[in-house]
Amino acid sequence: LLEEGIEAFKLMRDSGWTTYISALTAGTSYRFSFSTSSSLWQSTTTKTFIDGRFDRTFALYDVNRDSNDNITTSGGTLDADTKKLTVSVSWLKQGATTTRAISTYVTNLFDN
């Protein structure tokens, strides 16, 4: 489910960075919604469960670069064409919530 989340996000990016990615608020938890009418993944804030059990969310974070164009965690200049993506999956088991997460960087690959 984590890997599928990364791939779903990449499909959103490929369909239009400006339309599907740059409009999202950094640090906000979103979920994926598949539109059967357009055959596209989209973001939503509506809570949905996969197989009635798994809650998958994703969040984007701004990326800054230093003077050498390296990603930096402090200072630097905002790179509007790069985001850090974290996908998380949570589920309840024996009264406790388990969460797993994966992170990667995504770029405005097609400048769209």
Side-chain angles (χ1 to χ4, degrees):
L1 292 176
L2 292 171
E3 290 177 11
E4 180 186 60
I6 297 286
E7 294 303 318
F9 186 85
K10 288 180 181 179
L11 289 170
M12 288 172 49
R13 175 210 51 200
D14 296 352
S15 298
W17 183 271
T18 303
T19 302
Y20 296 102
I21 308 306
S22 59
L24 300 177
T25 303
T28 299
S29 287
Y30 294 96
R31 289 170 172 82
F32 295 101
S33 171
F34 188 77
S35 171
T36 54
S37 62
S38 64
S39 296
L40 292 174
W41 286 100
Q42 299 172 345
S43 61
T44 182
T45 54
T46 302
K47 194 168 195 172
T48 56
F49 287 94
I50 300 166
D51 293 336
R53 181 175 182 190
F54 301 98
D55 183 24
R56 179 173 55 196
T57 61
F58 73 92
L60 295 175
Y61 302 94
D62 290 332
V63 172
N64 290 336
R65 295 191 181 268
D66 65 17
S67 59
N68 294 316
D69 210 26
N70 295 317
I71 293 174
T72 181
T73 56
S74 62
T77 303
L78 177 67
D79 180 350
D81 286 326
T82 304
K83 299 287 184 184
K84 182 178 180 182
L85 168 67
T86 300
V87 177
S88 301
V89 175
S90 300
W91 65 94
L92 188 63
K93 183 177 180 182
Q94 297 176 349
T97 301
T98 300
T99 302
R100 297 289 184 258
I102 188 171
S103 294
T104 190
Y105 291 94
V106 290
T107 62
N108 185 0
L109 186 63
F110 300 112
D111 197 26
N112 61 358

